[in-house]
Amino acid sequence: MRFLSRILFILFALFFTTAHAANPVTLKSPDGQLEVSFEVVDGVPYYALNRNGKPVVLPSKMGFTLEWRDDLAHAFVLKDTKYSTFDETWEPVWGEEAHIRNHYNEMLVTLEQPVGSVESMDHSTETKTTVMQIRFRLYDDGLGFRYEFPIKNALVCFWIMEELTEFAMAGDHTAWWIPGDYDTQEYNYTQSKLSEIRNLWEAGHKNGGWPWTAFSKTGVQTALQMKTDDGLYINIHEAATLDFPTMHLDLMENGKRKIENSNSPFVFRAWLCPDATGYKGRIQAPCTTPWRTVMVCDKATDVLASRLILNLNEPCALEDVSWIHPVKYMGVWWEMISGKSTWNYTNDFPSVKIGETDFEHATPNGTHGANTANVRRYIDFAAANGFDGLLIEGWNVGWEDWYGKQKVFVFDFLTPYPDFDLPALNKYAHEKGIRLIMHHESSASTGNYERWMEQAYTLMNQYGYDAVKGGYVGTIVPFGEGHYSQPINNHYHYAVVEAAKHHIMVNSHEAVRPTGLCRTWPNMIGNESAMGTEFRERIHPGHTAILPFTRLQGGPMDYTPGIFEPDMGKIVSWGKRMNHTICNQLGLYVTFYSPLQMAADFPEHYEPYMDAFQFIKDVAVDWDTTIYIMAEPGDYIVTARHPKISTLNKAAEGVGTLSDGKKGVISNATRFVYAIPDDNSNVRINDLTPRDVWYVGGITDETARDVTVKLDFLKPGVKYEATIYADGPDACGFAGDCFDEKEMAEGHYPTGVTYNPYSYTITKKVVTSKSVLKLRMASCGGFAVSIREK
Ligand code: NOJ
Ligand code: CA
């Protein structure tokens, strides 16, 4: 009977397909250059993407395999195709520009598996049709598509075993990739041809984060940046990953594994991160999956300018965003990272039980960084230099045995160490115009964090903290989960949503790499979720010239730049040398977008170089216009940015609203834009007119470069003063301590160079829109320029 009904179904399906929907169906981008086509071949859905007639994605399969039921992979009929178009300009709460255009053409295809065509263990498909829709949005700079499951459906609650979405590449492109992993994104990138991924994959793990949990010798993560031999930039990522696992990619090479129905030599298959039971998504209709994205650009600078990922996210979910503001901050942090001081307060306890261990009578170890006197020292320095905030890590009990122990009850996020006077320090900070930034290291014990979250956020409200840095170091608890499974992705989101109820901004480290959710939840002001500065000498040259193409596509990164003493051997005997010059670090404040930007080094490391530190003081962190002047992944980036005046002093104004907060604080970036002298604190900004100001930054990898920057973005006929912070003639940021001898020999890295990261020049000159700056970036160097209307 069932066999007969299948035959009947196939005949019916053939008739229906030809009678009711063109197959393939196509959609063009607004400028007509990109075209996506979709068709059902023998019941299997396929899509393809062309640019000006040339394939970008060759015909690629779509669908899912499911538990307890026939897959969403065959027996499909194309039932309906709907087209629409959309064009709006929206204003982000913070960002790289004040206005973002969201302009796309859309095609929604409705697919059905008719009654009788598939089987289910619970017989639920016997009386109803299974419906899966695929929504394609085509922009001038790329494609987004997602699966949708309406409620009128045989499928209501179901379990995904695999996502079958493929991205069939048309050639052996160059790629910048990190190994696919369920637990960490903290890797250096490898630049290679797709055909080389398999052989280089093991080496790709070197110097990475911990714990790492690989799934395939050809697995890579997104955002995956590629470049074709014809010079086209293709980037695969995802947008709006909510209530769904993260998508990695597994490369299937023709000849090594059989690729059906494809003449593509290199096919990426979606690889979802499983939960503890192996499922890759527990789905409840009505619902949609995240968007799968393929960005396609002619120029590298267009990749940086693309807002594809943000546009595919939902508009802001918060009615009141007045409490969200950009933050430039310092921290009692690098001390612990560098080994100078410790997070823990005592060495008395090999084992801590929160609520039982007696810290009041413990012996202080003398190395605890978050002690009241030291924190005051940082508050003084941050306030004197016009910062907005100060992060303090190691303030709360539990750091004695927090790491690598798989403890469930590891922190309570409430109890300070005896030498950290939480109320007094907040009062002291607010009086000086500084907000303290809370730190919640969960040690990846997500359930424990959720248990304490409400009290922890309430404590923050009580003392006027309005931002928290979260952390997820180590093995995820509940055990068996990875960092990017559906339940744990839901945890990160829960933390952000609950924080918003308390008017708290969130910056999570080790959480899932972002997918543009900050558009919807703009209190998500930062994430680490990639190899950041804490990796020190292990960071390869060129790393920061890759991240804006990859990790930053989904949202800002708390990269924590500003290390003026990169020779860590001067701090601790085991320290090694980082690969950058001081001017490279200055350049990052412009090339790397984040509304939360840190000056990460110690005050005493800035003090000898206060003239260079001036740029970090002066630079803004939120922008109304950005121009990507030149870029090449892994090589160099030069960017110009114009500050957004409306948010320039927002953090400082917020401090004044606290009971013991200082009124009328002026941040240093505001001073710079309004040309307010350092010794004048009695001005009202509203009485002043801002000057026209631009900042330009550049960074390079191990190759020294000469660059020419035309200042044609300045207002014509206006005179500006430019302050140029450039690598000195003898500057060199390349140390090479991240490579062994063999790598140095094979890697075409500079040899025989003298490490001198401290050399810089500062020049002031009058410039106009006709001026052209000629700048030299040293190996692992860079430059920064502040330009203010005279
Ligand atoms: C890792 C984070 O990336 C780092 O910034 C933090 O200091 C440590 N975890 C401790 O929470
Ligand atoms: Ca980290």
Side-chain angles (χ1 to χ4, degrees):
M1 215 18 226
R2 174 140 291 191
F3 178 73
L4 187 66
S5 70
R6 276 215 167 166
I7 297 277
L8 282 174
F9 156 69
I10 289 166
L11 289 174
F12 168 76
L14 281 174
F15 165 77
F16 191 88
T17 312
T18 42
H20 292 267
N23 201 8
V25 289
T26 59
L27 176 74
K28 286 203 179 222
S29 58
D31 68 1
Q33 296 203 64
L34 288 177
E35 183 181 61
V36 67
S37 61
F38 173 83
E39 67 183 319
V40 177
V41 181
D42 297 334
V44 180
Y46 286 84
Y47 78 102
L49 180 66
N50 286 348
R51 187 168 193 277
N52 295 326
K54 279 193 169 177
V56 175
V57 181
L58 289 161
S60 297
K61 267 192 211 166
M62 313 179 93
F64 298 90
T65 59
L66 305 182
E67 176 77 309
W68 308 123
R69 187 196 175 276
D70 269 359
D71 298 331
L72 287 168
H74 56 85
F76 276 115
V77 181
L78 174 57
K79 183 82 195 231
D80 183 41
T81 309
K82 282 198 169 53
Y83 292 91
S84 60
T85 187
F86 189 80
D87 192 1
E88 68 161 15
T89 297
W90 58 281
E91 293 175 10
V93 175
W94 42 258
E96 298 186 65
E97 62 261 294
H99 305 279
I100 296 178
R101 188 169 179 200
N102 185 10
H103 185 198
Y104 59 82
N105 291 333
E106 183 173 282
M107 175 170 80
L108 177 67
V109 297
T110 301
L111 306 177
E112 288 187 1
Q113 290 174 321
V115 173
S117 65
V118 288
E119 290 180 17
S120 168
M121 285 282 282
D122 65 359
H123 306 294
S124 60
T125 48
E126 284 176 1
T127 54
K128 282 191 188 155
T129 318
T130 300
V131 186
M132 180 172 85
Q133 295 177 305
I134 306 173
R135 191 179 295 273
F136 295 91
R137 284 189 183 162
L138 200 51
Y139 293 78
D140 290 345
D141 57 358
L143 168 69
F145 62 87
R146 72 178 181 194
Y147 301 90
E148 302 190 355
F149 301 98
I151 187 64
K152 272 188 80 182
N153 205 335
L155 271 185
V156 178
C157 287
F158 57 102
W159 300 274
I160 294 176
M161 301 304 291
E162 294 293 348
E163 178 172 337
L164 302 176
T165 307
E166 293 178 350
F167 304 85
M169 297 291 99
D172 191 6
H173 309 323
T174 300
W176 289 264
W177 55 273
I178 56 174
D181 199 300
Y182 296 157
D183 277 301
T184 184
Q185 302 129 358
E186 296 178 335
Y187 285 115
N188 277 299
Y189 284 83
T190 303
Q191 176 183 336
S192 80
K193 290 284 188 186
L194 298 180
S195 56
E196 295 167 331
I197 290 179
R198 180 181 293 276
N199 285 340
L200 294 173
W201 191 90
E202 279 296 351
H205 272 277
K206 232 183 136 197
N207 288 328
W210 178 89
W212 57 271
T213 313
F215 58 86
S216 158
K217 294 273 154 88
T218 46
V220 297
Q221 304 197 33
T222 75
L224 174 68
Q225 182 63 52
M226 288 173 279
K227 186 178 181 184
T228 69
D229 288 346
D230 297 341
L232 200 63
Y233 295 85
I234 302 173
N235 186 306
I236 302 178
H237 193 32
E238 59 178 330
T241 304
L242 273 183
D243 201 13
F244 210 77
T246 290
M247 179 185 76
H248 292 327
L249 301 171
D250 196 20
L251 181 66
M252 301 181 289
E253 304 124 294
N254 238 341
K256 300 240 167 53
R257 280 185 232 175
K258 188 164 158 36
I259 304 167
E260 289 162 26
N261 286 327
S262 175
N263 51 6
S264 162
F266 301 100
V267 177
F268 286 107
R269 158 85 73 77
W271 188 281
L272 301 180
C273 296
D275 66 19
T277 64
Y279 286 154
K280 296 187 168 183
R282 290 161 201 266
I283 308 299
Q284 184 177 353
C287 67
T288 62
T289 68
W291 296 94
R292 278 68 188 89
T293 61
V294 184
M295 189 190 295
V296 193
C297 299
D298 272 336
K299 293 190 282 183
T301 46
D302 289 348
V303 179
L304 302 180
S306 172
R307 301 294 169 247
L308 180 70
I309 303 295
L310 285 180
N311 276 331
L312 285 166
N313 275 269
E314 295 299 313
C316 184
L318 302 170
E319 293 232 324
D320 173 16
V321 291
S322 60
W323 50 277
I324 298 173
H325 57 81
V327 184
K328 192 156 62 175
Y329 76 106
M330 295 188 70
V332 181
W333 174 72
W334 193 242
E335 293 197 3
M336 288 79 96
I337 296 289
S338 64
K340 182 191 172 203
S341 57
T342 58
W343 282 273
N344 55 306
Y345 163 76
T346 175
N347 299 335
D348 282 357
F349 310 126
S351 157
V352 167
K353 295 214 166 157
I354 302 287
E356 293 175 30
T357 303
D358 179 8
F359 284 97
E360 289 303 326
H361 297 100
T363 326
N365 59 12
T367 57
H368 182 223
N371 68 74
T372 298
N374 197 32
V375 174
R376 279 177 182 248
R377 181 171 77 93
Y378 276 81
I379 293 172
D380 292 346
F381 186 86
N385 291 290
F387 281 78
D388 304 317
L390 179 75
L391 165 76
I392 303 119
E393 296 199 4
W395 68 274
N396 57 326
V397 297
W399 287 88
E400 284 67 22
D401 68 348
W402 75 284
Y403 177 74
K405 303 288 193 300
Q406 305 198 4
K407 278 177 74 174
V408 176
F409 187 10
V410 50
F411 291 113
D412 68 7
F413 314 97
L414 298 175
T415 313
Y417 279 124
D419 63 346
F420 182 83
D421 191 339
L422 188 146
L425 283 170
N426 275 288
K427 185 164 187 297
Y428 185 73
H430 297 163
E431 281 168 359
K432 295 201 157 211
I434 295 289
R435 292 247 199 189
L436 299 190
I437 298 177
M438 179 46 86
H439 184 229
H440 290 165
E441 171 58 63
S442 70
S443 194
S445 184
T446 58
N448 181 58
Y449 187 29
E450 285 184 23
R451 267 196 292 284
W452 291 96
M453 197 177 275
E454 178 60 25
Q455 286 182 73
Y457 287 163
T458 302
L459 180 84
M460 289 178 61
N461 287 157
Q462 190 184 340
Y463 289 101
Y465 291 87
D466 69 350
V468 61
K469 170 177 169 181
Y472 296 91
V473 171
T475 304
I476 291 279
V477 189
F479 302 111
E481 292 292 342
H483 274 69
Y484 320 126
S485 66
Q486 181 186 28
I488 305 305
N489 284 349
N490 286 347
H491 164 84
Y492 306 131
H493 187 57
Y494 176 77
V496 170
V497 174
E498 292 305 301
K501 293 179 190 163
H502 287 264
H503 286 192
I504 288 170
M505 301 179 287
V506 178
N507 162 33
S508 277
H509 281 220
E510 296 86 34
V512 65
R513 84 280 186 273
T515 54
L517 290 168
C518 57
R519 176 180 177 189
T520 317
W521 299 93
N523 63 318
M524 229 175 131
I525 52 168
N527 268 116
E528 183 195 41
S529 310
M531 181 181 272
T533 303
E534 65 178 12
F535 278 81
R536 307 184 299 278
E537 79 284 351
R538 292 153 73 185
I539 302 169
H540 288 180
H543 185 62
T544 48
I546 302 173
L547 288 169
F549 290 91
T550 54
R551 160 65 185 76
L552 271 78
Q553 287 296 327
M557 178 172 176
D558 185 28
Y559 185 74
T560 65
I563 302 304
F564 274 25
E565 178 47 84
D567 184 350
M568 309 308 285
K570 294 192 180 161
I571 305 170
V572 288
S573 58
W574 61 88
K576 294 190 176 155
R577 299 167 303 171
M578 299 177 72
N579 291 305
H580 67 249
T581 64
I582 284 180
C583 283
N584 166 278
Q585 296 291 287
L586 299 185
L588 288 176
Y589 289 88
V590 190
T591 59
F592 230 98
Y593 173 66
S594 179
L596 175 82
Q597 199 65 279
M598 188 177 201
D601 214 333
F602 313 158
E604 59 270 35
H605 285 171
Y606 291 129
E607 271 151 5
Y609 308 109
M610 287 307 278
D611 54 353
F613 187 62
Q614 189 66 39
F615 182 79
I616 301 181
K617 291 171 62 173
D618 291 347
V619 72
V621 296
D622 190 31
W623 313 103
D624 68 17
T625 314
T626 293
I627 301 169
Y628 305 95
I629 296 173
M630 58 185 93
E632 193 57 39
D635 293 346
Y636 57 87
I637 298 178
V638 177
T639 306
R641 304 203 196 248
H642 188 266
K644 198 198 273 174
I645 302 301
S646 58
T647 58
L648 204 54
N649 209 44
K650 216 172 157 192
E653 283 152 13
V655 175
T657 63
L658 298 172
S659 54
D660 41 17
K662 188 171 168 181
K663 306 282 175 200
V665 182
I666 305 169
S667 75
N668 207 74
T670 310
R671 273 186 194 281
F672 181 74
V673 171
Y674 286 84
I676 303 167
D678 279 358
D679 54 4
N680 186 349
S681 295
N682 293 325
V683 288
R684 277 169 41 93
I685 298 165
N686 290 348
D687 299 340
L688 303 174
T689 311
R691 307 273 177 99
D692 192 37
V693 163
W694 285 84
Y695 304 89
V696 188
I699 54 160
T700 178
D701 63 356
E702 69 277 7
T703 306
R705 286 171 215 274
D706 292 299
V707 292
T708 304
V709 178
K710 285 193 203 153
L711 301 183
D712 52 5
F713 46 82
L714 301 180
K715 282 190 207 153
V718 176
K719 283 192 176 153
Y720 296 78
E721 182 179 68
T723 308
I724 303 161
Y725 305 78
D727 286 327
D730 55 346
C732 172
F734 183 76
D737 291 358
C738 53
F739 302 117
D740 59 29
E741 273 175 29
K742 190 163 160 278
E743 287 168 317
M744 279 295 286
E746 288 168 356
H748 313 293
Y749 295 110
T751 47
V753 291
T754 308
Y755 185 60
N756 182 5
Y758 314 103
S759 168
Y760 57 82
T761 60
I762 301 175
T763 323
K764 285 191 190 286
K765 54 161 110 156
V766 176
V767 295
T768 68
S769 60
K770 297 206 172 111
S771 304
V772 175
L773 299 181
K774 289 192 183 308
L775 297 145
R776 179 164 175 76
M777 300 192 274
S779 173
C780 298
F783 68 85
V785 188
S786 57
I787 305 174
R788 184 172 63 193
E789 185 181 358
K790 275 179 83 73

